[in-house]
Amino acid sequence: KEIFSAYGTVLSCKAIPPKNGGTKGAALVKFSSVEEAQWVQENLNGNLAEGLDQPIVVAFSQSGGAGKGGGGAGAGGKGLAAAAAGFGKGAPAAASWAGSSGSAGGDNLFIGDLPPDISDAQVKEVFSAYGTVVSCKAIPPKAGGLKGAALVKFSSPEEAQWVQENLNGNMAEGLELPIVVHFAKSGGGGGGGGG
């Protein structure tokens, strides 16, 4: 609360500790107005907040189906999910700034650990919040009880790299579990990158 009160009127907040020995935490922060929340999201996402030593990811939280997807402002969303080292993984957005295997290049990503019933439209909705999605394809699990996956092509290698570096092992806005993000193998590649 102390950190985000510097940027607006905080009505409530909840720190979410890291899971499974992770080092990154998260927080759900509710501001007094959509405008304050939007300002924080636009100005702090990918930047350092006063009092923290690593950049954070800030995204509108999904509030119980109030509005399907992007922005949050139109859905009446004043809640933001912010994640940074020392807060905890578990909010709809979390940061992963250290030690990324990054620059495999290309603009096509393989995204795993998605809900098994996710549709192409839902994939596009979730990942459009992080860049311009040129095309995407949801891949259903091969057997019951397994997780889904998707191939997502962004408009530039820079966008794809940002998504890979910042969402791999973390939660994308609108999803309930951390995801795996790798550069897709080009040219009929086999054997997938595991993770």
Side-chain angles (χ1 to χ4, degrees):
K1 184 170 185 175
E2 180 181 322
I3 291 168
F4 293 100
S5 291
Y7 302 101
T9 305
V10 175
L11 298 180
S12 64
C13 63
K14 172 149 180 61
I16 304 167
K19 288 184 184 169
N20 304 328
T23 57
K24 307 239 183 252
L28 293 172
V29 181
K30 184 171 186 175
F31 287 91
S32 64
S33 72
V34 172
E35 292 73 27
E36 282 182 345
Q38 193 163 359
W39 187 94
V40 170
Q41 193 274 328
E42 289 171 359
N43 291 281
L44 287 185
N45 186 35
N47 294 310
L48 285 170
E50 190 70 35
L52 296 177
D53 61 0
Q54 289 189 1
I56 59 172
V57 172
V58 182
F60 281 94
S61 64
Q62 300 296 89
S63 54
K68 289 182 98 172
K78 298 180 217 170
L80 286 180
F87 271 110
K89 195 184 312 184
S96 172
W97 297 93
S100 164
S101 57
S103 54
D107 52 6
N108 207 13
L109 295 177
F110 170 84
I111 299 168
D113 288 353
L114 293 171
D117 56 348
I118 197 162
S119 68
D120 290 353
Q122 289 168 315
V123 170
K124 184 166 187 167
E125 182 178 347
V126 168
F127 293 98
S128 289
Y130 302 101
T132 304
V133 175
V134 175
S135 64
C136 63
K137 177 72 181 142
I139 304 167
K142 290 187 167 114
L146 296 177
K147 294 180 179 174
L151 290 171
V152 180
K153 182 177 177 80
F154 286 91
S155 66
S156 73
E158 293 76 21
E159 283 183 345
Q161 184 170 348
W162 188 94
V163 170
Q164 192 277 330
E165 289 177 356
N166 293 286
L167 291 183
N168 185 37
N170 294 308
M171 299 175 78
E173 180 182 341
L175 299 178
E176 295 176 355
L177 295 171
I179 58 174
V180 175
V181 182
H182 297 290
F183 281 95
K185 305 271 188 240
S186 55

